[in-house]
Amino acid sequence: KAGVTQTPRYLIKTRGQQVTLSCSPISGHRSVSWYQQTPGQGLQFLFEYFSETQRNKGNFPGRFSGRQFSNSRSEMNVSTLELGDSALYLCASSVDGQGVTEAFFGQGTRLTVV
Amino acid sequence: AQSVTQPDIHITVSEGASLELRCNYSYGATPYLFWYVQSPGQGLQLLLKYFSGDTLVQGIKGFEAEFKRSQSSFNLRKPSVHWSDAAEYFCAVEVTGFQKLVFGTGTRLLVSP
């Protein structure tokens, strides 16, 4: 069974631009979460989607947004990029994200903002 | 607020020696605890998890962890480290009802020959 797939793997953008990252969850998984990983702040929760609805959001500015499609695939968007948005963005999927869950992570998208 | 502390930023262990990585958590309810491993430039791989029951849990790659409620700890152990174990290890607690994991800052494991 295929794992969590994130595309693209690497991305270089210029400050002020916007970017869209994609995540395809494991087949049958309906919950998709996004995390940002930086050397300074570590792993931080961005948001979680289930059945096309955002159920929870972390403490990030409104420039960070996401959505989930009917096939459970998810995208996250960052507008007006800042240098500090350079990070590894990780997507995780789980069956339903409820209660006792086991999240499977993708390999991440490395975003560099110049 | 929920938090996870991994007090060791770096640990160096000789190949074949035993390993223990420390993890302390702060969480009001029964915690669901996890250990993940991350190789450079890669995503996170789940090593093991604790939900309930037996406080000693076995994971993949020969790792185990012990949940101690009285000490709010969930330390990861391996009896004999292999060079391929060199990576960064993250302890995490699931925030029940909020569908999210709170991670520690990680411990980088170096394995010397």
Short mmCIF file of all heavy atoms in Angstrom, two decimals, chain A residues 61-93:
data_model
loop_
_atom_site.label_atom_id
_atom_site.label_comp_id
_atom_site.label_asym_id
_atom_site.label_seq_id
_atom_site.Cartn_x
_atom_site.Cartn_y
_atom_site.Cartn_z
N PRO A 61 -0.23 32.53 11.23
CA PRO A 61 -1.00 33.65 10.65
C PRO A 61 -1.90 33.18 9.52
O PRO A 61 -1.75 32.08 8.98
CB PRO A 61 0.10 34.59 10.14
CG PRO A 61 1.32 33.76 10.02
CD PRO A 61 1.22 32.68 11.06
N GLY A 62 -2.83 34.04 9.15
CA GLY A 62 -3.81 33.72 8.12
C GLY A 62 -3.20 33.48 6.74
O GLY A 62 -3.89 32.98 5.85
N ARG A 63 -1.92 33.83 6.58
CA ARG A 63 -1.27 33.57 5.29
C ARG A 63 -1.18 32.06 5.01
O ARG A 63 -1.00 31.63 3.88
CB ARG A 63 0.15 34.14 5.30
CG ARG A 63 0.25 35.62 5.50
CD ARG A 63 1.68 36.12 5.37
NE ARG A 63 2.59 35.55 6.38
CZ ARG A 63 3.51 34.63 6.11
NH1 ARG A 63 3.65 34.14 4.90
NH2 ARG A 63 4.30 34.20 7.08
N PHE A 64 -1.28 31.28 6.05
CA PHE A 64 -1.24 29.83 5.92
C PHE A 64 -2.67 29.31 5.85
O PHE A 64 -3.48 29.54 6.76
CB PHE A 64 -0.53 29.21 7.11
CG PHE A 64 0.94 29.49 7.16
CD1 PHE A 64 1.40 30.69 7.68
CD2 PHE A 64 1.87 28.57 6.69
CE1 PHE A 64 2.77 30.97 7.71
CE2 PHE A 64 3.22 28.83 6.73
CZ PHE A 64 3.68 30.03 7.24
N SER A 65 -2.98 28.62 4.79
CA SER A 65 -4.32 28.07 4.64
C SER A 65 -4.23 26.70 4.00
O SER A 65 -3.19 26.30 3.49
CB SER A 65 -5.20 29.00 3.79
OG SER A 65 -4.66 29.09 2.48
N GLY A 66 -5.34 26.01 4.04
CA GLY A 66 -5.34 24.68 3.45
C GLY A 66 -6.72 24.31 2.99
O GLY A 66 -7.71 25.05 3.19
N ARG A 67 -6.79 23.17 2.35
CA ARG A 67 -8.08 22.62 2.00
C ARG A 67 -7.92 21.12 1.76
O ARG A 67 -6.81 20.62 1.58
CB ARG A 67 -8.66 23.29 0.76
CG ARG A 67 -7.81 23.19 -0.49
CD ARG A 67 -8.52 23.86 -1.65
NE ARG A 67 -7.70 23.90 -2.86
CZ ARG A 67 -8.17 24.24 -4.05
NH1 ARG A 67 -9.44 24.56 -4.20
NH2 ARG A 67 -7.38 24.27 -5.11
N GLN A 68 -9.06 20.46 1.75
CA GLN A 68 -9.05 19.03 1.49
C GLN A 68 -10.14 18.73 0.47
O GLN A 68 -11.24 19.29 0.53
CB GLN A 68 -9.30 18.23 2.77
CG GLN A 68 -9.16 16.72 2.59
CD GLN A 68 -9.42 15.94 3.86
OE1 GLN A 68 -10.25 16.32 4.67
NE2 GLN A 68 -8.70 14.85 4.05
N PHE A 69 -9.83 17.84 -0.43
CA PHE A 69 -10.75 17.49 -1.49
C PHE A 69 -11.53 16.23 -1.13
O PHE A 69 -11.22 15.55 -0.15
CB PHE A 69 -9.97 17.30 -2.79
CG PHE A 69 -9.19 18.52 -3.20
CD1 PHE A 69 -7.86 18.66 -2.85
CD2 PHE A 69 -9.79 19.54 -3.91
CE1 PHE A 69 -7.14 19.80 -3.19
CE2 PHE A 69 -9.08 20.68 -4.28
CZ PHE A 69 -7.76 20.81 -3.91
N SER A 70 -12.51 15.93 -1.95
CA SER A 70 -13.39 14.79 -1.65
C SER A 70 -12.65 13.46 -1.66
O SER A 70 -13.09 12.49 -1.04
CB SER A 70 -14.56 14.76 -2.63
OG SER A 70 -14.08 14.66 -3.95
N ASN A 71 -11.51 13.41 -2.34
CA ASN A 71 -10.72 12.16 -2.34
C ASN A 71 -9.69 12.14 -1.22
O ASN A 71 -8.79 11.31 -1.22
CB ASN A 71 -10.03 11.98 -3.69
CG ASN A 71 -9.05 13.09 -4.01
OD1 ASN A 71 -8.91 14.05 -3.23
ND2 ASN A 71 -8.39 13.00 -5.14
N SER A 72 -9.82 13.06 -0.29
CA SER A 72 -8.96 13.21 0.89
C SER A 72 -7.61 13.86 0.61
O SER A 72 -6.89 14.17 1.55
CB SER A 72 -8.74 11.89 1.64
OG SER A 72 -9.95 11.43 2.17
N ARG A 73 -7.27 14.06 -0.63
CA ARG A 73 -6.04 14.79 -0.93
C ARG A 73 -6.14 16.19 -0.34
O ARG A 73 -7.23 16.77 -0.26
CB ARG A 73 -5.80 14.86 -2.43
CG ARG A 73 -4.43 15.39 -2.83
CD ARG A 73 -4.25 15.36 -4.35
NE ARG A 73 -5.08 16.35 -5.04
CZ ARG A 73 -4.74 17.61 -5.22
NH1 ARG A 73 -3.59 18.07 -4.75
NH2 ARG A 73 -5.55 18.43 -5.87
N SER A 74 -4.99 16.71 0.07
CA SER A 74 -5.01 18.02 0.71
C SER A 74 -3.95 18.93 0.09
O SER A 74 -2.93 18.44 -0.43
CB SER A 74 -4.75 17.87 2.21
OG SER A 74 -4.68 19.13 2.86
N GLU A 75 -4.20 20.17 0.14
CA GLU A 75 -3.24 21.19 -0.27
C GLU A 75 -3.11 22.22 0.84
O GLU A 75 -4.08 22.50 1.56
CB GLU A 75 -3.69 21.90 -1.55
CG GLU A 75 -3.64 21.06 -2.79
CD GLU A 75 -4.09 21.83 -4.04
OE1 GLU A 75 -4.67 22.92 -3.88
OE2 GLU A 75 -3.86 21.32 -5.16
N MET A 76 -1.91 22.76 0.97
CA MET A 76 -1.76 23.92 1.82
C MET A 76 -1.15 25.05 1.00
O MET A 76 -0.37 24.81 0.07
CB MET A 76 -0.92 23.63 3.07
CG MET A 76 0.53 23.35 2.85
SD MET A 76 1.48 23.52 4.39
CE MET A 76 1.62 25.30 4.53
N ASN A 77 -1.55 26.23 1.34
CA ASN A 77 -1.13 27.42 0.60
C ASN A 77 -0.51 28.42 1.57
O ASN A 77 -1.03 28.61 2.68
CB ASN A 77 -2.33 28.03 -0.11
CG ASN A 77 -1.94 29.22 -0.96
OD1 ASN A 77 -1.84 30.33 -0.47
ND2 ASN A 77 -1.71 28.98 -2.23
N VAL A 78 0.58 29.00 1.14
CA VAL A 78 1.17 30.08 1.92
C VAL A 78 1.26 31.29 1.00
O VAL A 78 1.87 31.22 -0.08
CB VAL A 78 2.56 29.74 2.46
CG1 VAL A 78 3.04 30.82 3.42
CG2 VAL A 78 2.56 28.38 3.15
N SER A 79 0.63 32.37 1.39
CA SER A 79 0.65 33.58 0.57
C SER A 79 1.67 34.56 1.13
O SER A 79 2.08 34.45 2.29
CB SER A 79 -0.74 34.21 0.53
OG SER A 79 -1.11 34.60 1.85
N THR A 80 2.07 35.48 0.30
CA THR A 80 3.00 36.53 0.69
C THR A 80 4.17 35.96 1.50
O THR A 80 4.37 36.25 2.68
CB THR A 80 2.29 37.62 1.51
OG1 THR A 80 1.00 37.90 0.96
CG2 THR A 80 3.11 38.91 1.50
N LEU A 81 4.92 35.11 0.86
CA LEU A 81 5.99 34.38 1.54
C LEU A 81 6.99 35.31 2.21
O LEU A 81 7.36 36.35 1.66
CB LEU A 81 6.70 33.46 0.55
CG LEU A 81 5.96 32.19 0.15
CD1 LEU A 81 6.60 31.56 -1.07
CD2 LEU A 81 5.94 31.21 1.33
N GLU A 82 7.42 34.87 3.38
CA GLU A 82 8.47 35.56 4.12
C GLU A 82 9.67 34.62 4.26
O GLU A 82 9.53 33.40 4.16
CB GLU A 82 7.95 35.97 5.50
CG GLU A 82 6.75 36.87 5.47
CD GLU A 82 6.22 37.19 6.86
OE1 GLU A 82 6.79 36.68 7.85
OE2 GLU A 82 5.22 37.95 6.95
N LEU A 83 10.83 35.22 4.52
CA LEU A 83 12.03 34.40 4.66
C LEU A 83 11.85 33.34 5.74
O LEU A 83 12.33 32.22 5.62
CB LEU A 83 13.24 35.29 4.97
CG LEU A 83 13.63 36.30 3.89
CD1 LEU A 83 14.83 37.13 4.36
CD2 LEU A 83 13.96 35.60 2.57
N GLY A 84 11.14 33.70 6.78
CA GLY A 84 10.93 32.79 7.91
C GLY A 84 10.02 31.62 7.60
O GLY A 84 9.88 30.73 8.44
N ASP A 85 9.43 31.62 6.42
CA ASP A 85 8.57 30.50 6.05
C ASP A 85 9.40 29.34 5.50
O ASP A 85 8.85 28.26 5.24
CB ASP A 85 7.54 30.93 5.00
CG ASP A 85 6.59 31.98 5.52
OD1 ASP A 85 6.35 32.01 6.75
OD2 ASP A 85 6.09 32.78 4.71
N SER A 86 10.69 29.57 5.31
CA SER A 86 11.57 28.49 4.86
C SER A 86 11.54 27.37 5.90
O SER A 86 11.82 27.59 7.09
CB SER A 86 12.99 28.99 4.69
OG SER A 86 13.06 29.95 3.66
N ALA A 87 11.18 26.18 5.45
CA ALA A 87 10.99 25.07 6.40
C ALA A 87 10.76 23.79 5.63
O ALA A 87 10.57 23.80 4.41
CB ALA A 87 9.78 25.35 7.31
N LEU A 88 10.72 22.71 6.38
CA LEU A 88 10.25 21.43 5.86
C LEU A 88 8.79 21.31 6.26
O LEU A 88 8.46 21.40 7.46
CB LEU A 88 11.06 20.27 6.44
CG LEU A 88 10.68 18.87 5.96
CD1 LEU A 88 11.00 18.69 4.47
CD2 LEU A 88 11.41 17.80 6.79
N TYR A 89 7.92 21.16 5.30
CA TYR A 89 6.49 21.02 5.58
C TYR A 89 6.11 19.55 5.45
O TYR A 89 6.28 18.95 4.39
CB TYR A 89 5.67 21.91 4.64
CG TYR A 89 5.86 23.37 4.96
CD1 TYR A 89 6.90 24.09 4.39
CD2 TYR A 89 5.04 24.01 5.88
CE1 TYR A 89 7.11 25.43 4.72
CE2 TYR A 89 5.24 25.33 6.21
CZ TYR A 89 6.28 26.04 5.63
OH TYR A 89 6.48 27.35 5.98
N LEU A 90 5.61 19.02 6.53
CA LEU A 90 5.26 17.61 6.61
C LEU A 90 3.76 17.42 6.66
O LEU A 90 3.05 18.14 7.37
CB LEU A 90 5.90 16.98 7.85
CG LEU A 90 7.42 16.88 7.85
CD1 LEU A 90 7.95 16.59 9.25
CD2 LEU A 90 7.89 15.81 6.88
N CYS A 91 3.32 16.45 5.93
CA CYS A 91 1.92 16.07 5.92
C CYS A 91 1.81 14.70 6.58
O CYS A 91 2.69 13.84 6.40
CB CYS A 91 1.44 16.02 4.47
SG CYS A 91 -0.10 15.16 4.21
N ALA A 92 0.75 14.51 7.34
CA ALA A 92 0.51 13.21 7.98
C ALA A 92 -0.92 12.79 7.75
O ALA A 92 -1.83 13.64 7.78
CB ALA A 92 0.79 13.30 9.48
N SER A 93 -1.12 11.52 7.52
CA SER A 93 -2.50 11.05 7.37
C SER A 93 -2.80 9.97 8.40
O SER A 93 -1.91 9.26 8.87
CB SER A 93 -2.75 10.51 5.95
OG SER A 93 -2.20 9.22 5.75
#
